[in-house]
Amino acid sequence: MDLQNQQRVKDAAEKFGAENVVVVLGSSDAEGAEIYAETVTNGDPTYAGPLAGAPLGLAVYHVFEPEIRQEADEAAWEEQISMMEMVLDTEKLGQAVKNMREQYAKYPL
Amino acid sequence: MSNVAVKGYAYCLNHVPELALHYGNTPYVERKTKGDSEFLKQLPGTLQRFDEALAYPANQAYIGGMDLNALEAHPQPWYAHRVEGASRFGKYGEIMPEDEFLGLLDMCDVFDLIWLEESFAARIREKLAAHPFMTPALLARLEKGHSPEEIRGEAEMHHALPLYFGEVPVGCVRQGHDVDECLEAYVLLENLACKAGGVLALLHLFKNAGIAPEDVDFVVECSEEAAGDMNQRGGGNFAKAVAEIAGCVNASGFDVRAFCAGPVNAMIAGASQVAAGARKNCVVLAGGAVPKLCMNSRDHVKKGLPSLEDCLGNFAVLLTPEDGVSPVMRLDALGKHTVAAGAAPQAITGALVWDPLQKLGLGFADVDKYAAELQIPEITVPAGAGNVPEANFKMIAALAVMKKQLEKAEMNEFVKQRGIPGFAHTQGHIPSGVPFVGHACDWINEGRIRRAMIIGKGSLFLARLTNLSDGASFLLEPPQAKKASVDSLTKEDVKALLLEALSDLAVSLGKREA
């Protein structure tokens, strides 16, 4: 996760309280999704950004996970996301994020 | 006129592992911020030798030394199954070694920014003299060189950056101004390398298209670099600077910028001028990007893989009026990602693929090959970016399913049939569709395909001016039979037609009298 985005997540957690922030990922790669999820829960694993050593424990989900999908407007989902559902391995992406969430998140939905 | 001929094309790589090691943005920033880190210690051992870069299958495909079908069938990983007997020259261009490229950098420098060490300069002069396209006029541009002390002094006292070959300094790039950040040595190295790459591709294009430098009317350049000073950071222009060195005395030019969508937009800008009759021989070209060298090397090093991002990519394409022989670029059905289209992948794919097809009454299956974002997967997959070309072809297939032109179960077959393997370096603008133009035109000429779509996509949001991305696309097709037009009739043609008509009249009058 790039340094600017780490800072934005950190700022949001400080401003609204970590228990009130949910991070929704749209990464197309499972390995990338896992690292992003780890960064916002257990801290930046590369120790390069503002979240290095900062285990925020945020609730983090991939947009394809059922908890998020069922919250989405059906028509918007169809228009914006349904094509990518056919392209990507949604299960693998969701599982990658879930693994990190179950290990490190302190504030599940 | 809505078609323009693609008359010639050239594709070259500059194998520059030491520029990558020192000035690729990832190692450069690491060195500046962390000093001699573990990553920097390991990186040199992961870079390819020149003979390895020559034999890397994707590199051969880029310069036209290998057919794309052969690349697809080649055992993977490609870095572990190199091509035996690989040549430096392919039918589209060449892979130039780093020492010669440093010489070319100096030949492209008109402000005495590049200094080469004198013995190195002499050695390179000999090597470049044997190059088929280095004319005496170009060779005369190579400087005699400077002493090692002068070069060291320039680096120590005036912020010059050393240039390395064989792990020793063999020259330097000097700053262009004391306080102007737009003219500091790093920026000038980036710009000169981009210019030199463009020159090399253009020299190959002259041969491939069978034209002389003075035949070129206009050059459109489409890299991602910015040439300018602190008062006009991206003032320009690379196009004319490249044309000057290559001897295109009758040409002018301008630059087009749109991140990775630059080349497709530049092709459209160049072709539109040709179609309008404003220019006849219009070249679209770009050199490579030094900062993008070794961009993903951190992941490659971490995973014990070779750092394959050691080549600058460049290309040049010649666009001319339709000639009835060369494949054509259609201008009546261009893909355009409008401001209102939205940023969702399906909106982008719809705008770039479906809209132009609909305009022509065509379906997804009427395009034999699609080409979008052709990055080499062995570079991007270990870095967590996935197989980018394959993802694009899957998106097109998925949209075809949504438009009820394909069954979901047929998606994989669609991708296999109508996609191509990624074979371009992660040089930003370089992979975006245009590397396939050469192969596509050859395949059209050979009757292997009838239609290809070239798609460019650019991440405009990286510049922090807009959250939008951009995209553009065009179709390549076989030439249409040349139609006789009033313009093409000569005086003799008119005379012959008149004589024929008068003779017919005489016969007819004779018959009436009889």
Side-chain angles (χ1 to χ4, degrees):
Chain A
M1 182 179 280
D2 71 33
L3 310 188
Q4 285 87 352
N5 279 339
Q6 287 193 36
Q7 190 61 52
R8 285 164 76 184
V9 171
K10 194 176 180 201
D11 291 347
E14 277 166 14
K15 188 171 174 189
F16 303 108
E19 70 281 12
N20 296 318
V21 173
V22 179
V23 180
V24 181
L25 299 173
S27 170
S28 60
D29 177 78
E31 200 181 330
E34 191 174 72
I35 293 169
Y36 300 147
E38 186 180 357
T39 305
V40 300
T41 51
N42 193 39
D44 179 3
T46 67
Y47 289 92
L51 292 180
L56 295 181
L58 301 180
V60 59
Y61 291 83
H62 197 282
V63 70
F64 289 131
E65 287 190 81
E67 292 90 334
I68 303 297
R69 198 195 190 297
Q70 68 199 18
E71 294 292 321
D73 176 83
E74 191 81 16
W77 184 274
E78 182 63 22
E79 193 191 316
Q80 306 268 329
I81 299 181
S82 55
M83 187 188 87
M84 290 311 285
E85 250 183 325
M86 277 189 267
V87 172
L88 299 173
D89 188 340
T90 55
E91 212 159 291
K92 198 172 167 193
L93 288 165
Q95 196 56 50
V97 176
K98 194 176 174 193
N99 288 347
M100 288 296 118
R101 185 172 66 240
E102 287 181 348
Q103 276 188 67
Y104 303 119
K106 298 174 202 155
Y107 314 101
L109 274 179
Chain B
M1 181 166 52
S2 60
N3 290 347
V4 165
V6 182
K7 184 97 176 161
Y9 23 86
Y11 296 93
C12 297
L13 296 170
N14 315 115
H15 178 246
V16 289
E18 299 195 53
L19 279 182
L21 180 60
H22 293 280
Y23 304 118
N25 199 44
T26 300
Y28 183 69
V29 170
E30 175 95 354
R31 197 170 290 110
K32 268 182 106 167
T33 55
K34 294 186 183 165
D36 209 8
S37 67
E38 195 51 40
F39 158 60
L40 288 175
K41 279 182 200 150
Q42 289 182 34
L43 182 58
T46 67
L47 294 164
Q48 299 177 105
R49 296 187 313 267
F50 181 60
D51 61 316
E52 291 173 322
L54 278 194
Y56 185 59
N59 289 352
Q60 281 297 319
Y62 190 82
I63 63 161
M66 188 179 204
D67 189 86
L68 287 181
N69 285 346
L71 178 69
E72 199 160 27
H74 199 82
Q76 293 178 342
W78 292 329
Y79 57 77
H81 299 88
R82 297 187 188 253
V83 181
E84 280 188 31
S87 165
R88 165 175 171 174
F89 292 92
K91 63 178 168 177
Y92 304 145
E94 67 172 297
I95 304 170
M96 180 177 256
E98 186 153 25
D99 54 351
E100 290 181 39
F101 185 69
L102 295 181
L104 184 63
L105 265 187
D106 182 56
M107 285 154 69
C108 292
D109 164 29
V110 297
F111 273 86
D112 199 23
L113 299 165
I114 301 289
W115 280 7
L116 299 179
E117 190 273 316
E118 49 205 354
S119 67
F120 178 78
R123 214 164 62 235
I124 292 314
R125 182 183 303 280
E126 250 177 63
K127 275 192 89 177
L128 284 173
H131 191 285
F133 306 133
M134 296 301 155
T135 60
L138 281 168
L139 286 168
R141 302 192 54 82
L142 192 62
E143 68 174 23
K144 204 167 159 246
H146 296 260
S147 68
E149 294 73 35
E150 278 181 294
I151 289 170
R152 210 164 31 245
E154 201 61 18
E156 282 166 9
M157 308 294 292
H158 301 291
H159 308 288
L161 291 178
L163 295 170
Y164 299 88
F165 186 72
E167 297 176 34
V168 293
V170 292
C172 67
V173 53
R174 303 164 68 219
Q175 64 179 0
H177 194 276
D178 283 340
V179 296
D180 187 343
E181 288 179 358
C182 299
L183 295 172
E184 66 181 30
Y186 186 89
V187 175
L188 292 173
L189 169 63
E190 197 178 315
N191 288 353
L192 280 168
C194 184
K195 177 184 173 184
V199 167
L200 184 66
L202 185 51
L203 296 176
H204 278 268
L205 181 69
F206 296 151
K207 187 211 99 191
N208 296 354
I211 58 161
E214 49 271 24
D215 293 336
V216 176
D217 297 310
F218 206 77
V219 177
V220 184
E221 197 268 2
C222 52
S223 70
E224 296 177 288
E225 316 306 319
D229 66 5
M230 58 185 158
N231 292 311
Q232 43 271 312
R233 192 179 298 267
N237 90 28
F238 285 87
K240 201 159 180 178
V242 168
E244 179 195 18
I245 300 295
C248 302
V249 289
N250 295 313
S252 184
F254 58 49
D255 300 345
V256 165
R257 292 290 178 268
F259 276 94
C260 310
V264 170
N265 276 313
M267 290 281 286
I268 293 168
S272 301
Q273 294 191 66
V274 174
R279 325 278 186 201
K280 199 173 157 207
N281 291 321
C282 186
V283 172
V284 178
L285 59 77
V290 167
K292 287 204 146 108
L293 294 165
C294 278
M295 186 168 58
N296 297 291
S297 56
R298 201 184 298 280
D299 291 297
H300 300 149
V301 167
K302 203 192 300 172
K303 292 176 182 173
L305 298 169
S307 294
L308 299 165
E309 295 166 298
D310 55 4
C311 287
L312 296 167
N314 44 71
F315 77 92
V317 176
L318 176 65
L319 301 170
T320 69
E322 215 178 344
D323 59 6
V325 179
S326 310
V328 296
M329 208 183 133
R330 287 188 76 146
L331 292 175
D332 57 349
L334 299 171
K336 179 172 70 166
H337 181 212
T338 59
V339 168
Q346 61 204 69
I348 297 172
T349 312
L352 299 183
V353 179
W354 178 231
D355 289 357
L357 289 178
Q358 261 191 314
K359 198 173 173 195
L360 297 176
L362 300 173
F364 288 88
D366 290 314
V367 174
D368 299 313
K369 289 287 178 185
Y370 292 91
E373 302 192 289
L374 300 172
Q375 286 92 339
I376 298 167
E378 288 178 358
I379 293 175
T380 55
V381 170
N387 183 331
V388 183
E390 190 184 73
N392 273 281
F393 305 135
K394 278 185 182 171
M395 281 190 248
I396 296 168
L399 191 66
V401 172
M402 292 181 76
K403 300 296 177 191
K404 307 205 183 314
Q405 293 199 0
L406 190 72
E407 293 297 324
K408 201 173 170 190
E410 296 168 341
M411 274 178 65
N412 285 344
E413 190 54 29
F414 181 98
V415 169
K416 203 173 154 208
Q417 264 188 13
R418 296 175 199 284
I420 50 171
F423 64 102
H425 275 268
T426 46
Q427 285 269 290
H429 55 295
I430 294 296
S432 206
V434 174
F436 185 53
V437 168
H439 286 281
C441 286
D442 284 356
W443 288 3
I444 287 171
N445 285 332
E446 292 161 17
R448 291 163 66 183
I449 57 168
R450 282 197 52 79
R451 187 175 288 118
M453 182 179 275
I454 309 295
I455 305 161
K457 294 179 178 179
S459 308
L460 305 189
F461 46 83
L462 294 172
R464 312 293 201 262
L465 287 179
T466 170
N467 271 316
L468 297 175
S469 61
D470 190 35
S473 67
F474 61 83
L475 289 164
L476 286 173
E477 290 184 358
Q480 290 179 358
K482 203 174 180 184
K483 294 177 202 129
S485 69
V486 175
D487 293 346
S488 66
L489 288 178
T490 63
K491 214 175 193 177
E492 279 66 35
D493 291 332
V494 174
K495 213 185 272 177
L497 282 171
L498 279 173
L499 283 172
E500 198 182 328
L502 286 170
S503 142
D504 286 348
L505 185 66
V507 170
S508 134
L509 284 173
K511 274 183 190 162
R512 197 174 290 173
E513 278 170 20

